[in-house]
Amino acid sequence: MAEDIPVVPKAGSLLLNSGNIVNWNRLKRKPSQSPTISECIGTTFQAFINGSDKNELQYVTDLNCVHQKYKETVPKADRGDFKLTVKIFLCSLLPIDVLQEAVDKVLSELDVSFIETVIVAFPEVDNEELTLEVVQPYWKALETLVYRETVISLGLADFDKKLLEQLYEFAEVKPMVNQVNLESCCVMPKELVEFAKEKDIQLLTHNDPREKDGEGWDPLWVLRYSVLVKCRGIVKSKGYLLKAERD
């Protein structure tokens, strides 16, 4: 039996844009379900491969995979009607400039000049607790985005009361949101709720899983964006961007 020929044997970097997954036909048939990050990445990559010249792909070193059928931008004339929220999942503790890179990418792909809210989810640090010392340089980088008026407000994911309080005291731009994963915490801790109420920090819930590396690829960051119609409270657009590398 002949061995399968690799489709992109020379590719060492990957940038991926799923497009608006709200408009995926599969979601229209199952409105209560949403695809996982892995499904979005796999479907987008396959659509890109199917629409590309297989011979040319043998020599490509930098992949820019866009699900062209569903790629959308935010209408400039109606920008005031929408709220854009971005959640950046850091897959490892990389140099802080990855935050600027991820934000620049979503601004470019959606053709917007600012983001209402950016939320950052930090990776597990060798099964150790995340510390303020680790978070500080990333938060300063995020504050720079606010000073440049690229981002209006900042948030975090899965900070307990102790770390949230430490960051709040350190930060010049205070966190406005803290997402809590209810899979690991069925009820909001009382002390966290009290502190958030005192400091006017919005507590939200999420059930985002920690994604594993794809075979041979090291994801640097995954970004999810959602565009909400303010007056109607419905999601107009939602999608994923990804950057990954491999040796």
Side-chain angles (χ1 to χ4, degrees):
M1 181 181 295
E3 294 184 2
D4 291 335
I5 300 175
V7 179
V8 286
K10 298 183 181 298
S13 70
L14 168 67
L15 277 169
L16 181 142
N17 179 356
S18 71
N20 183 7
I21 66 174
V22 173
N23 290 339
W24 286 15
N25 290 333
R26 182 157 51 86
L27 291 187
K28 291 182 179 180
R29 292 195 301 269
K30 299 179 180 179
S32 64
Q33 298 183 6
S34 183
T36 65
I37 296 175
S38 296
E39 289 174 331
C40 289
I41 292 170
T43 299
T44 301
F45 186 76
Q46 191 59 54
F48 170 78
I49 295 298
N50 292 343
S52 301
D53 184 302
K54 304 302 187 295
N55 291 325
E56 291 182 0
L57 289 178
Q58 290 290 305
Y59 304 98
V60 172
T61 57
D62 300 307
L63 288 171
N64 186 16
C65 301
V66 180
H67 207 317
Q68 293 290 352
K69 182 177 180 181
Y70 298 108
K71 182 180 179 182
E72 293 182 3
T73 59
V74 177
K76 289 185 180 297
D78 302 323
R79 178 64 178 91
D81 298 333
F82 303 116
K83 177 183 178 181
L84 172 59
T85 299
V86 168
K87 184 174 183 179
I88 302 172
F89 303 82
L90 294 176
C91 301
S92 61
L93 294 176
L94 296 166
I96 59 174
D97 57 5
V98 299
L99 294 173
Q100 180 73 60
E101 178 185 43
V103 167
D104 285 346
K105 185 63 176 174
V106 73
L107 291 173
S108 173
E109 293 297 300
L110 296 181
D111 193 21
V112 294
S113 59
F114 69 93
I115 301 167
E116 275 80 357
T117 303
V118 168
I119 297 170
V120 176
F122 287 86
E124 292 182 348
V125 186
D126 296 327
N127 296 319
E128 297 180 2
E129 289 188 2
L130 190 64
T131 65
L132 178 63
E133 289 71 26
V134 171
V135 174
Q136 283 175 331
Y138 293 93
W139 194 258
K140 298 303 291 185
L142 291 169
E143 289 180 329
T144 298
L145 296 176
V146 175
Y147 299 146
R148 293 175 180 171
E149 300 183 346
T150 302
V151 177
I152 295 176
S153 64
L154 302 174
L156 303 151
D158 303 315
F159 271 41
D160 59 19
K161 188 262 183 181
K162 176 183 176 181
L163 186 54
L164 184 60
E165 184 175 16
Q166 290 176 343
L167 178 63
Y168 189 90
E169 294 302 319
F170 163 79
E172 295 180 13
V173 177
K174 306 300 183 182
M176 301 298 292
V177 175
N178 183 35
Q179 291 186 338
V180 179
N181 191 332
L182 289 186
E183 286 190 357
S184 59
C185 175
C186 298
V187 179
M188 292 277 191
K190 182 179 178 180
E191 60 178 9
L192 177 61
V193 172
E194 290 176 349
F195 178 76
K197 183 177 181 180
E198 176 189 347
K199 301 301 184 182
D200 197 25
I201 299 172
Q202 186 179 16
L203 292 181
L204 303 174
T205 61
H206 75 90
N207 59 354
D208 298 317
R210 294 186 182 275
E211 296 292 323
K212 302 299 182 182
D213 292 0
E215 184 176 356
W217 288 92
D218 292 320
L220 304 184
W221 50 261
V222 178
L223 178 154
R224 184 180 64 223
Y225 67 84
S226 60
V227 180
L228 184 74
V229 182
K230 292 179 181 178
C231 64
R232 299 171 61 190
I234 62 172
V235 177
K236 175 185 181 295
S237 178
K238 177 181 176 181
Y240 289 95
L241 304 179
L242 162 78
K243 182 172 184 181
E245 294 180 347
R246 70 177 176 183
D247 294 331

